[in-house]
Amino acid sequence: MARVVILGAGISGHTAALHLQRQLKNKAEIIVVTPNSNWNWIPSNIWVGVGKMTKDQVTFPLAPIYKRKHIGFRQAKAVAIHPEGSPDNPQGFVDIVYTDPTRSGQEEQLTYDYLIVATGPKLNFAATPGLGPDGNSWSVCTAGHAEQSAAALETIIEALKAGERKTLVIGVGHGTCTCEGAAFEYTFNVEHELRERGVRELADVVYLSNEYDLGDLGVGGMTFAQNGFETSSKMWTESLFRERGVRAILRAHVEKVDPGVIHYEELDGSKHTLDFDFAMLLPPFRGVDMKAYANNGDDITDDLFAPNGFLRVDADYAAKPFEEWTPEDWPKTYQCPRYANVFGVGIAFAPPHAISEPRKSPNGTVISPAPPRTGMPSGVMGRTVALSIAERIRRGDQAPLRTASMAAMGAACIASAGTGLRKGSAAAITMYPIIPDRKRFPGSGRDLTQTSGEIGLSGHWTKLLLHYLFIYKAKARFGWFMIPE
Amino acid sequence: MSDVDRSIAEAPLPTAGTLRRRKNLFYQVTRFVAFNFRMMKMVTRAHH
Ligand SMILES: Cc1cc2nc3c(=O)[nH]c(=O)nc-3n(C[C@H](O)[C@H](O)[C@H](O)COP(=O)(O)OP(=O)(O)OC[C@H]3O[C@@H](n4cnc5c(N)ncnc54)[C@H](O)[C@@H]3O)c2cc1C
């Protein structure tokens, strides 16, 4: 029986596992390897970070789901891939090390017929000295981090209530970060919380980002058609900042975070400091630390993975200037070029380049967002690769692969700007395609009829609906597959 | 004031009517339906 091993049980890996099981039932053995025992609906971590949800509301244990679905589960982390197998057995395998408390540290070699790498990002706090919960700032990247942020925020609110002035800085902690959307959401959720608690007047809320303009969000900004005008996401976002009284520092690379002081460089090369009482700064992402070896033991990590640690797939990685970037550079099947039975999905695949225009300061510091790979495309990639593999297992190695290029895919992004069934709000954005195509859509590169943004209470309802729908789906409850990724 | 903050200060402010509409339950229900319809259209396009 063919065996499919999936590394990572996040949005993309877990989606792939469920679809593979549904497609193949008992025709294949499906094994998921992931270091965490829980699944996390990461988008709702924002609400954990302001104390509006608990960790338990955004996570659930994976083991019972996999047991019910007859999917093998190893609570372990993959440390190396051997795509050519060993000298006496050409079947590929992965080295895993258990994180399961009952067998922590034990090693195993897991052979596979097909491998899906869905390991998401390594939260690279180490890139910026002092960044992160082990340093001098907070994070909302995991539910645990978000809980810590909520506790720290509560302390600040108490001090504000006592009449002290406080500066809260929220943003990204390095010039090459991605996920500005999450920083934006947390900024406005914190601002909303401060208002709800009656302490907004004494708080200075500052958004600190590597974006060139507000509203860039790592996708080079957007253009919306509104009231008969083409409106830029820059103006649209600036309007929200003005309305809510949030200051912004843009084009910034955080160099280090000392206790209470952020040191940053701006795109013009100038260096600054910013004092803070509370800082939530997202880390830059890189691929998780995995090695790769040929069957003779040679280290082939650099063949399999790009320098940023993400898996090379069927993208065009030739270096070229911004003006020459095309939608065709982006991968379609997510198949590894050297090993046809290895695929990379979600954040784990190496993008060919950024989406936003790349920029460097006169000191050579890169200050521009890396390309985001949000939940919706990550889920679609997981499902697409699952269907490709299921087809190959059923019909043989020549069965055509399915495609799901980000250049032919839209995305919906609901950026929460505060919670509450009556008082909440969110910026609800749709864009098509994710990767701008200036030949098809001269000007902004996106279809104006399908790229839109609006702010209001209904956005909050949608975000809440997605929270419940996606947790239902991830629990593989009745009819889960009818809920699209 | 930095260039960025100056640009924010010059951005259009929503009118009182816009702010009311953003919170008006009846209007927001229609926006909810419209947005989810648009999102579903986009999602079904991605699932070919
Ligand atoms: C705070 C925050 C808010 C966000 N909000 C939104 C939003 O509102 N909408 C949206 O669309 N997107 C949002 N995103 C982005 C979204 O979370 C990601 O797009 C999505 O999680 C990517 O899915 P993934 O499967 O690639 O990675 P992940 O979901 O990160 O999953 C990776 C998995 O791999 C596992 N893993 C790690 N190392 C190994 C290893 N060595 N071996 C095996 N397994 C390993 C991890 O434990 C994890 O289970 C947000 C992100 C953040 C951080």
Side-chain angles (χ1 to χ4, degrees):
Chain A
M1 191 162 45
R3 181 190 272 178
V4 187
V5 171
I6 300 164
L7 307 180
I11 293 181
S12 61
H14 186 62
T15 305
L18 294 182
H19 278 292
L20 272 166
Q21 192 278 337
R22 178 166 181 264
Q23 290 287 321
L24 295 166
K25 296 281 184 302
N26 45 17
K27 288 197 203 73
E29 184 189 9
I30 295 144
I31 299 179
V32 175
V33 177
T34 193
N36 302 334
S37 58
N38 283 337
W39 193 83
N40 176 203
W41 176 240
I42 297 175
S44 295
N45 288 357
I46 299 296
W47 291 334
V48 177
V50 288
K52 287 290 191 256
M53 275 195 181
T54 63
K55 194 172 158 183
D56 289 348
Q57 284 174 285
V58 301
T59 58
F60 64 81
L62 282 164
I65 315 291
Y66 288 150
K67 191 165 173 222
R68 174 158 50 88
K69 287 284 159 192
H70 307 289
I71 294 171
F73 176 42
R74 307 282 195 280
Q75 194 188 331
K77 65 174 183 185
V79 290
I81 305 178
H82 301 258
E84 299 169 1
S86 58
D88 31 69
N89 182 358
Q91 189 174 23
F93 65 93
V94 279
D95 296 332
I96 66 170
V97 177
Y98 279 86
T99 52
D100 180 340
T102 60
R103 42 196 308 201
S104 180
Q106 281 180 28
E107 293 170 21
E108 189 183 338
Q109 289 187 341
L110 209 53
T111 56
Y112 62 80
D113 296 293
Y114 290 93
L115 180 70
I116 303 179
V117 179
T119 42
K122 170 180 173 174
L123 305 176
N124 194 17
F125 292 108
T128 305
L131 183 71
D134 293 331
N136 305 308
S137 61
W138 303 108
S139 150
V140 288
C141 287
T142 68
H145 288 174
E147 269 192 340
Q148 294 174 332
S149 298
L153 180 63
E154 195 54 43
T155 314
I156 293 291
I157 292 176
E158 289 308 318
L160 286 163
K161 276 186 179 162
E164 293 173 36
R165 289 202 154 270
K166 296 285 174 194
T167 301
L168 296 89
V169 184
I170 298 162
V172 299
H174 194 273
T176 63
C177 279
T178 180
C179 236
E180 290 76 12
F184 169 94
E185 282 189 276
Y186 193 61
T187 305
F188 285 97
N189 270 270
V190 166
E191 197 275 336
H192 179 86
E193 188 62 17
L194 296 174
R195 267 187 296 126
E196 289 286 291
R197 305 280 289 269
V199 292
R200 180 66 179 91
E201 293 303 308
L202 289 171
D204 186 15
V205 182
V206 185
Y207 176 76
L208 175 76
S209 174
N210 56 352
E211 293 156 284
Y212 190 79
D213 286 319
L214 283 177
D216 180 281
L217 298 175
V219 294
M222 285 155 281
T223 302
F224 309 131
Q226 266 177 349
N227 303 326
F229 288 89
E230 289 188 9
T231 309
S232 68
S233 57
K234 171 179 185 283
M235 192 174 87
W236 194 76
T237 314
E238 285 176 348
S239 168
L240 185 66
F241 273 68
R242 182 174 174 200
E243 179 201 334
R244 304 276 287 262
V246 176
R247 284 204 293 131
I249 295 169
L250 298 180
R251 305 163 199 175
H253 159 71
V254 175
E255 290 182 317
K256 70 172 169 171
V257 186
D258 282 336
V261 189
I262 294 167
H263 300 257
Y264 66 95
E265 176 184 342
E266 284 192 359
L267 197 57
D268 62 8
S270 58
K271 308 253 178 162
H272 307 264
T273 59
L274 176 66
D275 293 344
F276 69 89
D277 300 291
F278 171 93
M280 195 300 291
L281 298 172
L282 297 173
F285 293 169
R286 57 170 289 118
V288 302
D289 302 315
M290 252 195 293
K291 300 292 249 177
Y293 298 100
N295 55 5
N296 60 4
D298 281 356
D299 188 330
I300 53 166
T301 308
D302 292 343
D303 291 345
L304 223 64
F305 295 96
N308 55 15
F310 294 120
L311 188 82
R312 290 179 202 272
V313 292
D314 61 321
D316 180 355
Y317 294 109
K320 46 182 141 176
F322 175 67
E323 297 70 32
E324 291 172 23
W325 292 356
T326 69
E328 288 72 39
D329 300 342
W330 288 78
K332 296 178 182 68
T333 64
Y334 303 93
Q335 185 182 39
C336 175
R338 238 176 105 171
Y339 303 101
N341 58 345
V342 177
F343 296 81
V345 292
I347 292 178
F349 86 80
H353 43 64
I355 304 174
S356 302
E357 187 174 345
R359 292 182 166 93
K360 267 186 193 169
S361 78
N363 309 322
T365 313
V366 176
I367 309 183
S368 50
R373 274 140 295 159
T374 54
M376 187 168 154
S378 296
V380 172
M381 286 172 214
R383 176 180 183 268
T384 303
V385 166
L387 297 185
S388 292
I389 292 176
E391 203 70 350
R392 291 210 158 176
I393 289 176
R394 278 194 297 254
R395 291 175 38 200
D397 278 356
Q398 295 316 310
L401 295 173
R402 303 228 175 186
T403 61
S405 167
M406 280 168 62
M409 213 192 282
C413 175
I414 295 107
S416 170
T419 58
L421 278 177
R422 295 289 296 268
K423 290 189 173 167
S425 79
I429 295 168
T430 58
M431 69 172 116
Y432 178 85
I434 301 171
I435 309 299
D437 185 340
R438 293 195 168 79
K439 274 203 194 113
R440 259 179 88 198
F441 306 109
S444 73
R446 296 202 178 90
D447 185 347
L448 271 182
T449 63
Q450 295 195 64
T451 303
S452 69
E454 77 182 77
I455 298 172
L457 176 58
S458 61
H460 174 70
W461 295 338
T462 304
K463 178 117 185 154
L464 201 60
L465 176 75
L466 294 182
H467 166 93
Y468 290 113
L469 272 182
F470 282 115
I471 289 180
Y472 181 93
K473 179 182 165 83
K475 285 184 175 170
R477 293 250 169 88
F478 178 74
W480 65 268
F481 50 87
M482 311 232 284
I483 302 169
E485 279 68 44
Chain B
M1 198 189 246
S2 73
D3 285 354
V4 177
D5 285 326
R6 198 166 306 122
S7 190
I8 291 173
E10 286 164 7
L13 265 184
T15 60
T18 300
L19 289 176
R20 258 197 317 276
R21 266 194 304 280
R22 286 181 183 172
K23 297 255 175 269
N24 179 283
L25 287 185
F26 179 74
Y27 182 71
Q28 288 301 316
V29 168
T30 64
R31 297 317 305 153
F32 180 77
V33 173
F35 182 80
N36 280 277
F37 179 73
R38 199 178 316 132
M39 193 163 63
M40 279 310 292
K41 233 173 69 183
M42 186 159 280
V43 167
T44 41
R45 254 183 155 214
H47 288 70
H48 46 79

